[in-house]
Amino acid sequence: MTELVLDHVSVRFTLPGATVAAVNDVSLRVRPGECLALVGESGCGKTVLAHALLGFLPGNAQTSGTATLTGDGPPLDLLATPDAVLAKTVRGRRVGLIPQSPASHLTPVRTARAQLEEAVRVHHPSDPAPRDHAHRVAARAGLSPADLDRYPHELSGGLAQRVANALALVGDPWLLIADEPTTGLDRPLVDGLIAEFRRMVTDGRAVLLITHDLAAAHRIADRIAVMYAGRIVEIGPTADVFDTPRHHYSRGLVNALPDRAFTPIPGGPPLLTDLPAGCSFAPRCDQVVPVCAERPTLTDDDHAYACHVPC
């Protein structure tokens, strides 16, 4: 069975005089036929984790743990797989990526059509009509044929996002990692993207949605993993995390929604160069007790949380 299993994954960046602990001991499983949303404030490590899975980290990064992708062929530890193998057998084929800031990932001197047709030829070399294939994928992403004749600098933010979405869908990957895919899209296009994700899930594939938009996660995801200061602090079925959050950070995120209490979480996250020894959320939490000086671990159940005094 195809699945992705992360086991104690950590990512560190070495800087002059400091170490950035961007991802800390993350363990989770992405299952076939589900959308898992990874949510949390900007800077909590969500995008770094995605880049680690696809080998897009800079040279000063150090990783530990394993990220095992099973399915076609022998299991692959994505953190230990050489870049040439990732490029040839994983990226775009088994794992697709909708990047954050998509315009910066497009080739500036080629039209959207040229880039999309090239992706079709790479992933489907036997297709006799790459242009028709490109048009079909573009339509799934909400693009018209006229949109494809534009260069990246001629695309609005929303159109650039749609082109990135189309490029990620070309290879029909088993797992789609979508990093803030609804940014810049109006409601009808968000609805279309959600429908596309649900089609993938119905077909037995998987979506890892990375977002700080809890409202979008609520609409799309089957399960939600809440990330804070590089750690997973809660994970469970979407309804459980929204309706009965167990971690106080999760409760704060939910209460900040406009249709809830609309109350912001006080304070700010800790520096990733100077994380507290115990619970990283303790400086912002109104339920701190002495045991919070010790680092909590995730409970071992379907709705897991890492809190000494849960909600």
Side-chain angles (χ1 to χ4, degrees):
M1 180 178 68
T2 302
E3 62 179 4
L4 176 64
V5 180
L6 278 59
D7 188 22
H8 300 289
V9 172
S10 295
V11 181
R12 302 282 187 271
F13 296 107
T14 303
L15 303 176
T19 299
V20 179
V23 177
N24 298 290
D25 200 32
V26 168
S27 295
L28 55 82
R29 183 184 303 267
V30 183
R31 306 161 179 163
E34 76 162 357
C35 175
L36 172 64
L38 185 61
V39 306
E41 293 167 294
S42 297
C44 71
K46 305 185 301 295
T47 296
V48 171
L49 181 60
H51 286 184
L53 297 177
L54 289 170
F56 289 150
L57 295 176
N60 66 333
Q62 297 177 335
T63 63
S64 61
T66 60
T68 304
L69 179 66
T70 60
D72 298 334
L76 280 180
D77 177 5
L78 299 181
L79 302 184
T81 299
D83 186 75
V85 177
L86 289 174
K88 186 175 181 179
T89 67
V90 176
R91 296 180 193 139
R93 293 170 172 86
R94 299 175 67 182
V95 182
L97 174 67
I98 297 176
Q100 198 173 31
S101 304
S104 64
H105 289 76
L106 300 176
T107 303
V109 296
R110 303 184 68 199
T111 64
R113 181 190 305 281
Q115 296 181 61
L116 193 55
E117 289 181 8
E118 180 184 27
V120 171
R121 286 191 291 269
V122 168
H123 294 298
H124 305 280
S126 61
D127 193 321
R131 173 160 293 197
D132 291 343
H133 192 145
H135 282 182
R136 290 195 299 272
V137 176
R140 286 163 59 189
L143 291 161
S144 70
D147 295 328
L148 298 180
D149 291 323
R150 301 185 186 186
Y151 289 89
H153 72 273
E154 298 175 317
L155 299 172
S156 66
L159 281 175
Q161 183 68 64
R162 283 179 252 176
V163 173
N165 295 351
L167 287 168
L169 295 171
V170 166
D172 294 320
W174 170 78
L175 170 64
L176 180 64
I177 300 175
D179 194 354
E180 303 290 356
T182 60
T183 300
L185 301 184
D186 56 25
R187 181 61 180 267
L189 288 171
V190 171
D191 291 343
L193 188 60
I194 290 173
E196 183 63 39
F197 288 167
R198 296 314 307 178
R199 276 195 292 271
M200 291 184 65
V201 168
T202 300
D203 288 343
R205 288 176 282 176
V207 175
L208 177 59
L209 172 67
I210 296 172
T211 185
H212 63 266
D213 184 350
L214 263 71
H218 193 197
R219 295 180 62 200
I220 301 172
D222 301 291
R223 290 190 301 143
I224 289 183
V226 181
M227 198 169 191
Y228 184 76
R231 294 185 180 278
I232 301 297
V233 297
E234 185 164 356
I235 183 169
T238 297
D240 292 349
V241 173
F242 267 82
D243 297 338
T244 55
R246 305 307 309 278
H247 196 281
H248 297 279
Y249 176 64
S250 305
R251 182 190 64 181
L253 289 178
V254 172
N255 285 343
L257 289 171
D259 61 344
R260 302 290 178 103
F262 204 31
T263 304
I265 303 173
L271 294 175
L272 296 180
T273 55
D274 188 25
L275 292 174
C279 175
S280 296
F281 188 63
R284 305 173 71 181
C285 185
D286 59 4
Q287 299 294 321
V288 175
V289 294
V291 72
C292 297
E294 301 175 10
R295 180 173 299 161
T297 58
L298 278 171
T299 57
D300 186 18
D301 49 30
D302 187 50
H303 183 185
Y305 55 91
C307 184
H308 294 299
V309 283
C311 303

